[in-house]
């Protein structure tokens, strides 16, 4: 199937969807903008632009604003997107907890709540997830205006095309048809995505990656993962997953990883790996202001920033290992920016120069030159990656067309 999008819906519908998306995207990016400018930039006939903007206006997705023409003289009518009345329930599903946030279409968080999770099977997890979503919607019914989508991001392997979860690191799942189940229960457009790759997309739309079309996001948390944005899109393979940097072997004699292999990157640089290393060295008698009882990643970063040599050395060791893998990734993907997310960025002044040095010495000069390494701007536990999937579905027209068709068919 060369083009599944075109195969699934008729050509006329696809053209309609893409034209709608082009107009909406231009207004979203450049508004306030006049219809004439939209026609020029989209290269659509002015009559088509008039028709599409009329539909968008009627649906409340854009609004007209009066603008003083730049030459003075008469006032011109411009259009902007209307973002406040359209809400998304965005869920970040963690291993032991879930964050649920209500976003409007401008990516503003209106409410955010955290829920503990205890489920140990796929069925129990789905039940618990749906219960907390129902609870969240009921709790916030006075804030919620038009709910247009539910979006869930999670760790593991996701089949975004079919809306299924193939693998989770802590729960056995069997082709979990999460999108279908969400559709059925909540009767809303639903999306599921990989947590880190969705975060990379969020960085592109709303964060540190918004000024470049190619970027590499690396997130260190309980594991180590990455997302690559190439040409303004998440890079994924045919089955929806790619760039599993956490499982690149960095130490052939290293510890066993959750994946079953030995010495993977995440056995060295993840938060639990760093915490374990510090504990071991403390027990071995190394001097430090840290104690075995208080050495979370937060404590370790704080101690390192205060000059504690044990904490500093452990973080430096992690940075050298991480830097090597980042340098390899740069040779593979040639990004314009490297974005690091995770609790360890609290010690960025120690980590980043080391990573930068690895880039200088281990990448092609043309790839590594003037390549900034920066911290994520979007927080470590946020559900914004889930919202990014909804934003994408507005911009590629799938969700947009669904809203214009007034919910006749749920977008896939
Ligand atoms: Zn592994």
């Amino acid at each position: 199937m060369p083009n599944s999008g075109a195969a699934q819906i008729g050509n006329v519908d696809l053209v309609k969807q893409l034209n709608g998306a082009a107009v909406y995207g231009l207004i979203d990016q450049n508004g306030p903008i006049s219809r004439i400018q939209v026609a020029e930039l989209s290269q659509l006939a002015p009559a088509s632009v008039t028709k599409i903007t009329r539909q968008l206006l009627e649906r409340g997705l854009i609004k007209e604003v009066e603008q003083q023409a730049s030459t003075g003289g008469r006032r011109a009518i411009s259009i902007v997107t209307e973002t406040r009345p359209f809400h998304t329930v965005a869920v970040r599903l963690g291993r032991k907890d879930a964050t649920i946030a209500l976003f409007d279409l401008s990516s503003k968080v209106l409410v955010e709540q955290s829920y503990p999770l205890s489920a140990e099977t796929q069925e129990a997890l789905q039940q618990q997830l749906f219960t907390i979503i129902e609870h969240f919607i009921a709790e916030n019914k006075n804030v919620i205006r038009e709910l247009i989508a539910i979006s869930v991001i999670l760790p593991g392997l996701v089949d975004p095309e079919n809306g299924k979860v193939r693998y989770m690191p802590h729960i056995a799942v069997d082709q979990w048809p999460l999108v279908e189940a969400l559709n059925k229960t909540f009767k809303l457009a639903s999306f599921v995505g990989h947590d880190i790759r969705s975060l990379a997309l969020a960085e592109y739309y709303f964060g540190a990656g918004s000024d470049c079309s190619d970027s590499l996001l690396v997130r260190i948390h309980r594991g180590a993962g990455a997302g690559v944005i190439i040409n303004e899109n998440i890079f994924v393979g045919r089955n929806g997953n790619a760039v599993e940097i956490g499982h690149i072997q960095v130490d052939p004699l290293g510890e066993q990883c959750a994946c079953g292999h030995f010495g993977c990157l995440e056995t060295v640089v993840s938060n639990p790996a760093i915490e374990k290393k510090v504990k071991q060295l403390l027990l071995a008698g190394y001097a430090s202001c840290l104690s075995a009882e208080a050495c979370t990643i937060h404590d370790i970063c704080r101690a390192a920033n205060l000059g504690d040599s044990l904490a500093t050395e452990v973080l430096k060791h992690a940075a050298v290992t991480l830097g090597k893998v980042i340098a390899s990734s740069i040779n593979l993907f040639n990004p314009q920016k490297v974005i690091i997310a995770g609790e360890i960025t609290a010690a960025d002044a120690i980590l980043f120069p080391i990573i930068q040095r690895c880039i200088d010495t281990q990448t092609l000069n043309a790839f590594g030159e003037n390549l900034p390494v920066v911290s994520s701007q979007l927080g470590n536990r946020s559900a914004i990656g889930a919202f990014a999937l909804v934003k994408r579905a507005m911009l590629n027209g799938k969700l947009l067309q669904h809203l214009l068709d007034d919910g006749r068919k749920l977008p896939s």
Side-chain angles (χ1 to χ4, degrees), residues 246-247 257 259 264:
H247 303 286
C257 177
C259 74
C264 295

Side-chain angles (χ1 to χ4, degrees), residues 228-250:
V228 171
I229 299 293
I230 288 189
N231 237 335
E232 311 185 354
N233 265 311
I234 310 181
F235 174 74
V236 288
R238 191 183 170 81
N239 71 6
N241 296 282
V243 207
E244 282 290 340
I245 64 160
H247 303 286
I248 293 176
Q249 191 183 61
V250 293

Side-chain angles (χ1 to χ4, degrees), residues 17 249 305 384 399:
Q17 178 182 309
Q249 191 183 61
N305 288 337
I384 194 158
L399 180 57

Side-chain angles (χ1 to χ4, degrees), residues 126-359:
Q126 178 167 316
Q127 198 170 23
Q128 206 170 18
L129 172 64
F130 286 16
T131 305
I132 60 175
I133 291 175
E134 274 161 17
H135 177 266
F136 180 84
I137 292 174
E139 278 275 281
N140 298 296
K141 65 174 189 294
N142 294 330
V143 186
I144 295 175
R145 292 175 68 184
E146 181 181 347
L147 212 49
I148 57 168
I150 296 183
S151 181
V152 180
I153 52 168
L154 44 81
L157 297 180
V158 172
D159 173 355
E161 197 70 21
N162 297 302
K164 289 181 179 171
V165 183
R166 287 217 183 102
Y167 161 85
M168 291 185 80
H170 59 303
I171 280 183
V173 294
D174 181 22
Q175 299 287 331
W176 181 17
L178 181 54
V179 163
E180 193 189 321
L182 285 164
N183 281 163
K184 220 166 127 186
T185 304
F186 297 100
K187 311 278 185 285
L188 284 168
S190 304
F191 303 88
V192 60
H194 180 269
D195 54 359
I196 300 171
R197 286 185 265 290
S198 304
L199 182 62
L201 188 65
E203 289 286 354
Y204 166 62
Y205 284 139
F206 320 112
S210 60
D211 58 348
C212 42
S213 50
D214 301 327
S215 55
L216 167 69
L217 171 95
V218 174
R219 180 173 185 252
I220 308 297
H221 187 56
R222 291 194 57 83
V228 171
I229 299 293
I230 288 189
N231 237 335
E232 311 185 354
N233 265 311
I234 310 181
F235 174 74
V236 288
R238 191 183 170 81
N239 71 6
N241 296 282
V243 207
E244 282 290 340
I245 64 160
H247 303 286
I248 293 176
Q249 191 183 61
V250 293
D251 180 3
L253 300 176
E255 296 195 21
Q256 190 167 28
C257 177
C259 74
H261 299 317
F262 289 86
C264 295
L265 177 68
E266 64 180 45
T267 67
V268 179
V269 306
S270 68
N271 293 349
I274 290 172
E275 289 162 357
K276 188 173 162 191
K277 184 83 191 166
V278 168
K279 263 182 212 160
Q280 275 171 354
L281 294 173
L282 285 172
L283 290 175
Y286 281 77
S288 170
C289 68
L290 291 161
S291 69
E293 294 74 43
C295 71
T296 64
I297 191 71
H298 302 287
D299 299 323
I300 295 165
C301 290
R302 200 177 310 125
N305 288 337
L306 292 171
D308 184 83
S309 59
L310 173 63
T312 307
E313 285 311 313
V314 171
L315 286 178
K316 278 184 174 174
H317 177 253
V320 168
T321 312
L322 182 61
K324 202 175 174 61
V325 171
I326 288 176
S328 304
S329 308
I330 290 166
N331 282 326
L332 290 173
F333 298 107
N334 190 13
Q336 298 163 281
K337 194 180 263 189
V338 174
I339 304 163
I340 316 259
E343 291 80 358
I344 58 162
T345 57
D348 57 353
I350 294 162
L351 299 165
F352 288 11
I354 296 173
I355 294 171
Q356 198 84 59
R357 219 158 31 243
C358 293
I359 294 173

